Amino acid sequence: MNGQMMQLPLLISSLLVHAERHHGEREIVSRRVEGDIHRTTYKELATRARRMAKALARLGVQPADRVATLAWNGYRHMELYYAVSGSGAVLHTLNPRLHPDQVVYIADHAEDSVLFFDLTFLPLVAAVAGRTKSVRHWVVMTDRAHLSKNAPADVVAKIPNLLAYEDLVAAEDDHYAWPSFDENTASSLCYTSGTTGNPKGVLYSHRSTVLHAYAAALPDALNCGSADAILPVVPMFHVNAWSLPYVGCMVGAKLVFPGAGLDGKSLYELFESEGVTLSAGVPTVWQGLLAHVEANNLRFSTMKRTIIGGSACPPAMIRAFGEKYGVHVLHAWGMTEMSPLGTVCAFKGKHAGQSQQERYAVMAKQGRAVYGVDMKVVDENGAELPFGSETSGDLLVRGPWILEKYFKGEGGDPLRYSDGDGWFPTGDVAKIDADGYMQITDRSKDVIKSGGEWIGSIDLENIAMAHPAVAMAACIAAPHPKWDERPLLVVVKKPGTDLTREQLLAFYEGKIAKWWTPDDVVFVDAIPLGATGKMQKNKLREQFRDYRLPTA
């Protein structure tokens, strides 16, 4: 016997309809490529999204067509989030930090029909416009006057069928009804970083996206509400900005978009001027922010919490935010293949009476699975390890917003690598404690195997990052004639500091098993970062593949 409840599809457009109706006057603030601060509301955003949906139809965009963006975080990008997906097409957020060859490969693989771009990326678009196979229209996300004034004519001439965003919006009215369709219809497309081959597409559905937004907003997840002012530093071209543009509509929060100003000074100014209460980004971004506020003896007047994910957050950063600036860090973990949210490190009631040291130990973990994500750790034979085990193993996940197969079957079906029960192998090595808190000990490709025993590189990086003279640290495996592999620490020093190899290695004493201590330290000017701000250890391994460790 079935229940007797209404069957309304979970569609992304419903989030915008809700925001317009119940939070229409709530503000959306953007730092634009035009150089100014732009202010709008959910009501106006909904109006312009409907106009853009009509403009897309006029351009010949059909349901399931892919519409690409090369854009910063801003109100126009958010309008496209809803206009494209809401009309039944698929929003494809391209990463503008990729090499032009990769942009061409991904655009061709996705078969993008229209590509929208911020004027910042005009040189990139000019470099790829003559090489893509399917893009029919190129739309610069500004008005024609700003384009004419700020873009070199010879560069503009390289782009065929170039249109201006504001012209498209102005030409339409907002008499448009969002269509209704199956909630399993594809809504958006993101590509993996491609560190082990060509990037692979992850195709999200309306259902998966709305369910993910529900879970992300929960109190023990990102804890978002209508009283919040949220500034997503995480790019809208990176896994849908961790769902915050959808969560904003769902709860009616004020949204503050930083545009291209991701340096510490620019971010701090927006935090203060717009009363930001919550932000989100990767550790490398927060290093720049912390350096700015520390150098200028500043404090945060409204920001109370930040979500840090993308890579493991160093415990020293968690302490700095909490002890110096009163900002609570929510350590989170996920993947492009997971939409991306998997875990958030929110406290349980039992932690209220614990010491600050005990609470910091909890916060260093990636956290508990949000409802909708099931996870387990298995050993090398595929046997499940119990919660509370001190043994690390391969982390597997499953849930309604987790990848079943890659777009067009590229890379194969990931589920065939699991136990047949629908578990996705994350590629992370982890352990889960008795309270359900998961801790990543390494990526499977980054684990160091020394004399048959595993050494986790993340633990060694976190200790190095706690040293006051260290700005960034990466630990990789270096070949060793006796032990097969040993840890090599690659370090960027903070400006104006003195630090020797011996001083840093001595810093490890008493913090880990002695045999885990890195064999050597190499100081460099910079550690390569990927398009999403993560350290590229694959490039470091290539750079130091012939490095000879000290034999003494």
Side-chain angles (χ1 to χ4, degrees):
M1 179 170 61
N2 292 331
Q4 297 177 325
M5 311 304 289
M6 292 183 182
Q7 293 294 311
L8 295 178
L10 299 176
L11 299 178
I12 286 173
S13 58
S14 69
L15 298 172
L16 188 57
V17 170
H18 174 81
E20 181 181 20
R21 183 172 297 171
H22 299 285
H23 305 284
E25 301 309 312
R26 195 63 161 133
E27 202 171 30
I28 299 169
V29 180
S30 304
R31 178 180 278 128
R32 300 200 298 181
V33 295
E34 288 91 336
D36 61 345
I37 298 295
H38 177 273
R39 298 180 185 278
T40 187
T41 64
Y42 280 113
K43 182 178 181 180
E44 178 63 18
L45 182 131
T47 297
R48 285 170 54 90
R50 289 193 293 270
R51 288 181 172 182
M52 179 52 68
K54 294 185 74 170
L56 290 171
R58 193 179 295 275
L59 291 177
V61 175
Q62 301 293 317
D65 281 357
R66 270 72 74 195
V67 175
T69 62
L70 280 166
W72 298 110
N73 292 8
Y75 70 101
R76 292 182 180 118
H77 206 172
M78 188 163 173
E79 289 166 4
L80 290 170
Y81 262 54
Y82 289 92
V84 177
S85 299
S87 64
V90 177
L91 179 75
H92 173 207
T93 51
L94 271 163
N95 189 331
R97 295 171 179 159
L98 295 174
H99 188 276
D101 290 347
Q102 290 179 295
V103 173
V104 170
Y105 170 82
I106 295 172
D108 284 347
H109 187 270
E111 300 178 73
D112 295 324
S113 60
V114 182
L115 192 148
F116 290 80
F117 65 96
D118 271 332
L119 192 57
T120 312
F121 306 118
L122 180 66
L124 173 60
V125 170
V128 304
R131 299 170 57 193
T132 56
K133 299 174 182 176
S134 58
V135 178
R136 302 191 305 270
H137 300 283
W138 304 83
V139 183
V140 60
M141 294 167 67
T142 186
D143 57 53
R144 183 68 63 174
H146 187 78
L147 172 66
S148 300
K149 184 178 180 180
N150 294 277
D154 59 331
V155 178
V156 172
K158 296 178 182 179
I159 305 172
N161 300 322
L162 181 61
L163 303 171
Y165 188 98
E166 293 300 332
D167 289 351
L168 294 178
V169 172
E172 307 294 341
D173 60 42
D174 71 332
H175 299 149
Y176 179 86
W178 297 110
S180 181
F181 40 77
D182 190 304
E183 64 184 13
N184 292 296
T185 299
S187 62
S188 52
L189 178 64
C190 292
Y191 278 73
T192 62
S193 56
T195 56
T196 56
N198 285 326
K200 296 184 286 291
V202 180
L203 189 62
Y204 310 119
S205 70
H206 285 258
R207 177 178 185 270
S208 71
T209 301
V210 174
L211 289 175
H212 180 270
Y214 262 123
L218 287 171
D220 271 5
L222 307 187
N223 189 19
C224 302
S226 59
D228 276 313
I230 303 173
L231 190 153
V233 179
V234 55
M236 293 173 74
F237 57 74
H238 179 50
V239 209
N240 297 332
W242 299 352
S243 194
L244 291 173
Y246 303 121
V247 170
C249 278
M250 181 174 282
V251 303
K254 176 180 178 179
L255 288 176
V256 182
F257 291 123
L262 302 180
D263 60 285
K265 181 178 184 294
S266 298
L267 289 174
Y268 180 80
E269 289 173 352
L270 271 185
F271 286 149
E272 293 301 300
S273 64
E274 300 303 328
V276 171
T277 60
L278 171 65
S279 191
V282 299
T284 49
V285 170
W286 301 129
Q287 286 177 338
L289 177 66
L290 288 174
H292 174 73
V293 296
E294 184 174 348
N296 294 279
N297 195 28
L298 302 171
R299 291 291 182 270
F300 298 105
S301 58
T302 57
M303 192 171 78
K304 298 303 179 187
R305 62 197 191 280
T306 184
I307 306 144
I308 301 183
S311 58
C313 179
M317 182 176 289
I318 295 174
R319 288 175 175 269
F321 265 119
E323 295 175 1
K324 292 183 180 181
Y325 304 108
V327 176
H328 179 70
V329 169
L330 285 166
H331 204 176
W333 168 84
M335 303 175 69
T336 302
E337 290 90 340
M338 297 175 65
S339 300
L341 191 62
T343 65
V344 180
C345 196
F347 288 127
K348 288 186 172 183
K350 63 183 291 184
H351 297 122
Q354 290 186 336
S355 68
Q356 190 58 56
Q357 283 297 113
E358 291 172 315
R359 288 164 68 89
Y360 277 138
V362 175
M363 293 170 72
K365 300 177 182 181
Q366 277 69 32
R368 294 182 280 124
V370 298
Y371 175 76
V373 174
D374 194 10
M375 60 184 183
K376 68 177 179 179
V377 172
V378 299
D379 65 18
E380 58 187 10
N381 298 314
E384 184 172 354
L385 298 172
F387 283 22
S389 172
E390 286 301 313
T391 302
S392 296
D394 294 321
L395 180 64
L396 308 181
V397 293
R398 63 181 179 183
W401 56 77
I402 294 171
L403 176 80
E404 183 177 38
K405 57 185 176 182
Y406 289 106
F407 183 52
K408 295 186 175 179
E410 295 291 323
D413 182 350
L415 299 186
R416 68 187 176 90
Y417 298 112
S418 65
D419 60 6
D421 291 334
W423 292 87
F424 174 76
T426 64
D428 283 315
V429 178
K431 56 186 177 181
I432 305 174
D433 69 18
D435 289 323
Y437 287 83
M438 185 271 291
Q439 183 170 17
I440 302 291
T441 57
D442 225 325
R443 289 289 292 170
S444 58
K445 59 189 177 186
D446 294 335
V447 171
I448 302 163
K449 192 167 188 178
S450 180
E453 299 289 340
W454 297 108
I455 298 176
S457 65
I458 292 176
D459 288 334
L460 301 185
E461 291 163 358
N462 285 341
I463 293 172
M465 287 292 294
H467 193 286
V470 173
M472 190 175 296
C475 190
I476 60 174
H480 191 279
K482 181 178 180 180
W483 303 113
D484 188 28
E485 294 178 343
R486 290 294 298 159
L488 172 64
L489 196 64
V490 184
V491 172
V492 178
K493 290 186 284 189
K494 290 182 179 178
T497 60
D498 290 321
L499 180 64
T500 66
R501 168 188 182 274
E502 291 72 22
Q503 289 171 332
L504 186 51
L505 293 181
F507 191 67
Y508 281 86
E509 292 181 8
K511 297 181 175 70
I512 51 169
K514 190 172 180 62
W515 68 274
W516 272 43
T517 304
D519 279 29
D520 203 5
V521 178
V522 177
F523 294 103
V524 297
D525 293 332
I527 289 173
L529 301 178
T532 56
K534 299 178 185 179
M535 293 188 295
Q536 291 187 306
K537 290 191 182 181
N538 57 328
K539 290 190 175 181
L540 285 178
R541 285 191 289 266
E542 177 65 23
Q543 181 180 346
F544 292 99
R545 64 179 179 178
D546 298 323
Y547 188 83
R548 294 191 177 186
L549 294 166
T551 55

